Amino acid sequence: MKLHTIQLKINDEQQTVTVRSGDTLLYTIRKQLGLTGAKPGCLNGDCGACTIHVDGWPMKSCLMMAVEGEGKQITTIEGLKDTPIQQAFVQHFAFQCGYCTPGFIMNGHSLLQKKPDADDSTIKEWLESNICRCTSYSEIEKAIKFALEKNKSS
Amino acid sequence: MLPFSFEYERPKSFQEAVTRFQQADQSGKEPMYISGATEFLTLGRINQVYTEAAIDVKGIPEGKVIQFDQGYLVLGANLTLTELEEANVFPLLTSTSKQIADHTARGKITLGGNICGQIFYREAVLPLLLADSQMVMVGPEGVKVKPINEIFYERLLLQKGEFLIQVATDTRYLHAPFISIKRRQQWDTGYPLITIAALKIDRKVRVAISGLCPFPFRSNEMEDALNNLEGSPQEKIQNALASIPSPILDDVEGSSEYRLFVLQNLLLDVYEALKFGERE
């Protein structure tokens, strides 16, 4: 078995982990680091439940090996504290079962940071990366738009 | 998580990557170059890809360039589709690659990875086929530059130990009129049915198609039929359809008859946008 001892910078903390080459970042952050906010869904890059940030951009952590994460700034849902997007999701009841919520919030938070002037087509394009089986899409879209507007006016 | 064990290397130069590949090959490890590694993970987890040595080339600087040089736009093959989209230096490429997978996944999928992948679609190659791009490859014999239409036949014909490092496109193609359309069976996020990219240059329309056959292609015979100055657009399209390579895909995403029906309509859309086969 090929093992690598690597340094991962997650939520501004340096972590040392020993991983198999083929371990996904999702597996490593959940099973080795106990950060269970990123959810396993399809494990195939389709559903977005495992979305985290890598260098500020959304990333499906099932589509990334842990060994690829060295030297990157990684943020999981545990690294966000009372951000505007989290507040907007609460305010707009933008969840039902909540399983997809961390992924949507990570994607939405990155959208706010990277595209603060996002128009409707950009919002739609970004949100298409995540699936909500409870179909809370309307509330999620409202929450994202609310957070974008609030961001602009602050 | 991948079910097999393999060595993971991240060389800093293409020379080192090639050396690592050769060493692993001599040790019987069935080495493989990876870049975005999305297909490596998705196919690897269902045992459709296997290696004992993955050589990750995404850190090689030459593979990350976006530069203009002697009348060519040079793009690194390790640029992610999101990076290409943000730079938007080749609008047809932006427009076509923007329809691949989804926004988050495009932050990991690379230009070279998409072109050299195993899936049928590989839409990022379509604009390069239309623009007669030059493919820059590195391997045991050093650096090779070949026109794409000589080295892409159903797939990029790489020699053992070679990988794509850059793509160079004559700047005269960058702002030529174009259209790129992707049709899915359902919604905006379903698997692709057919993608067509078309570009008008020197008063002729070029078309390249993905999702019709088990490989992306550009056909000179189809283009000749479309650019014929005689006949109605419908007649030209029918003549073009006679030159489609085989086989036509026939799967759960769409029967071969349905795909041909969709293609006919796509060609009409291309006609509306670019007016092939008309005197100007």
Side-chain angles (χ1 to χ4, degrees), chain A residues 1-2 4 20-24 42-44 58-60 63-64 68 115 124-126 128-129, chain B residues 1-2 4-8 10 41-42 45 58 85-86 98 102-104 106 108 188-189:
Chain A
M1 187 183 291
K2 311 297 187 304
H4 302 256
R20 289 171 63 247
S21 311
D23 286 349
T24 60
C42 66
L43 302 178
N44 197 50
M59 177 66 64
K60 295 176 181 186
L63 283 186
M64 183 166 178
E68 295 180 274
K115 305 277 177 187
K124 185 173 175 232
E125 184 194 348
W126 280 58
E128 280 172 358
S129 298
Chain B
M1 197 160 82
L2 294 172
F4 51 90
S5 185
F6 60 93
E7 288 172 6
Y8 174 82
R10 201 163 176 176
L41 280 162
T42 54
R45 64 186 273 273
K58 73 165 77 67
E85 190 178 324
E86 293 289 316
K98 218 177 159 172
D102 62 75
H103 179 267
T104 304
R106 290 197 296 276
K108 189 86 180 352
D188 292 333
T189 50

Side-chain angles (χ1 to χ4, degrees), chain B residues 51-66:
Chain B
T51 184
E52 291 171 21
I55 298 159
D56 187 344
V57 299
K58 73 165 77 67
I60 296 172
E62 290 86 346
K64 295 297 272 186
V65 301
I66 300 179

Side-chain angles (χ1 to χ4, degrees), chain B residues 128-200:
Chain B
L128 310 180
L129 288 169
L130 297 178
D132 293 333
S133 297
Q134 302 288 319
M135 310 303 265
V136 184
M137 295 148 298
V138 291
E141 292 168 20
V143 179
K144 255 194 236 175
V145 182
K146 292 255 185 187
I148 189 169
N149 289 305
E150 283 180 20
I151 198 159
F152 191 93
Y153 178 72
E154 301 188 1
R155 62 185 180 83
L156 189 63
L157 302 173
L158 293 165
Q159 300 295 311
K160 190 173 196 177
E162 278 184 342
F163 66 97
L164 181 68
I165 188 79
Q166 291 175 340
V167 170
T169 304
D170 190 323
T171 53
R172 80 189 191 100
Y173 292 102
L174 302 185
H175 297 289
F178 70 88
I179 185 167
S180 176
I181 312 168
K182 182 171 200 159
R183 289 277 182 265
R184 295 176 170 88
Q185 191 184 45
Q186 51 189 354
W187 312 311
D188 292 333
T189 50
Y191 275 88
L193 198 56
I194 297 184
T195 301
I196 191 164
L199 176 140
K200 192 168 195 177

